[in-house]
Amino acid sequence: MRSVPSLLSMIDEPKPAAPIVMPWDYIRMRREAAGLTIEQAADPFWHRKEHRADVERNFHRIETVGFRVKRLWDMSRSFRLNLTVYRQLCDTPPDMHPRLCLACGWDEWSAQLDAEGFDCTWSDTNPQICTHCEQTRRRIFKPRLPNSHPANTPHGGHQIAA
C-alpha cells in the first residue's frame, strides 16, 4: 500500500525549470519543421545572384541567439510562421510566452493538419507537442533553460532592425 506524501514534502520538492522558446528558437523550429535548410528557406527571397549571400546572411542572423528583429518580413514564401507569436516572444517576458509545440513551434491559433489530415491539436500522451509531431515522431527541440539566455536586455536579447 502506498503512503500519501505530506504537504511539506510536496512543497520542498524543486520543480524542474520549464523550457523556454525564444524568438530565434521559434524561427529555427518552424524552418526545420518545413524541412528546409537556411539556403533553401532564403531561396525565394533573392532574385539576382549578387543578393543571394546577403539574404542568406539575414536568415542566419535571425536564428542567432540574442537576435530579435523589430520588423520581421513575411516568411510565407518559404515556410509558415505566425508573426504575432514572434512578436510576443520578442516583446514579453518568458513567463508570458504563448504555448508552442516543443517539436515544431506550432501554436493553437495557426492552422495545421496532422498526419491523418485532421486539424492539429495538443497531444494527449505528451502535452508539450502537437498531434502532428506525435504522429510523425518528430524529436523535441531542446530550448535553452531560463538561466542560459543572454541577459543584455530586460527580456534577454538584442532588438536589432533587419
Side-chain angles (χ1 to χ4, degrees):
M1 181 175 195
R2 276 186 352 186
S3 64
V4 178
S6 72
L7 181 59
L8 287 177
S9 70
M10 290 189 297
I11 291 174
D12 291 339
E13 287 181 24
K15 290 174 89 177
I20 295 173
V21 177
M22 295 302 285
W24 46 88
D25 297 324
Y26 177 63
I27 297 283
R28 182 173 172 202
M29 290 168 75
R30 297 305 299 156
R31 178 183 56 77
E32 289 178 351
L36 300 172
T37 64
I38 287 180
E39 292 75 20
Q40 292 168 328
D43 192 49
F45 293 94
W46 60 270
H47 304 289
R48 302 176 83 185
K49 289 182 182 180
E50 59 267 20
H51 297 156
R52 180 180 185 168
D54 188 42
V55 172
E56 289 177 3
R57 185 173 44 256
N58 285 335
F59 268 80
H60 277 285
R61 182 174 284 165
I62 63 174
E63 291 185 18
T64 301
V65 173
F67 189 87
R68 295 177 175 156
V69 181
K70 286 185 180 179
R71 251 185 49 222
L72 187 66
W73 60 93
D74 181 13
M75 306 289 268
S76 63
R77 284 191 248 170
S78 53
F79 59 91
R80 293 179 9 182
L81 181 78
N82 187 328
L83 296 175
T84 303
V85 168
Y86 182 81
R87 283 276 38 104
Q88 289 174 330
L89 296 175
C90 287
D91 298 337
T92 62
D95 61 335
M96 296 177 66
H97 285 179
R99 180 180 178 192
L100 299 174
C101 172
L102 292 182
C104 71
W106 170 79
D107 64 275
E108 56 196 321
W109 302 279
S110 298
Q112 177 170 293
L113 297 178
D114 64 18
E116 296 174 358
F118 297 107
D119 285 336
C120 205
T121 187
W122 298 108
S123 166
D124 289 333
T125 57
N126 183 353
Q128 292 186 320
I129 63 172
C130 67
T131 50
H132 182 266
C133 292
E134 175 185 39
Q135 293 163 348
T136 58
R137 300 181 197 275
R138 181 176 282 138
R139 71 177 178 84
I140 292 179
F141 186 82
K142 299 288 186 209
R144 293 158 195 87
L145 294 176
N147 60 358
S148 65
H149 288 290
N152 299 19
T153 66
H155 301 306
H158 306 287
Q159 287 281 354
I160 302 173

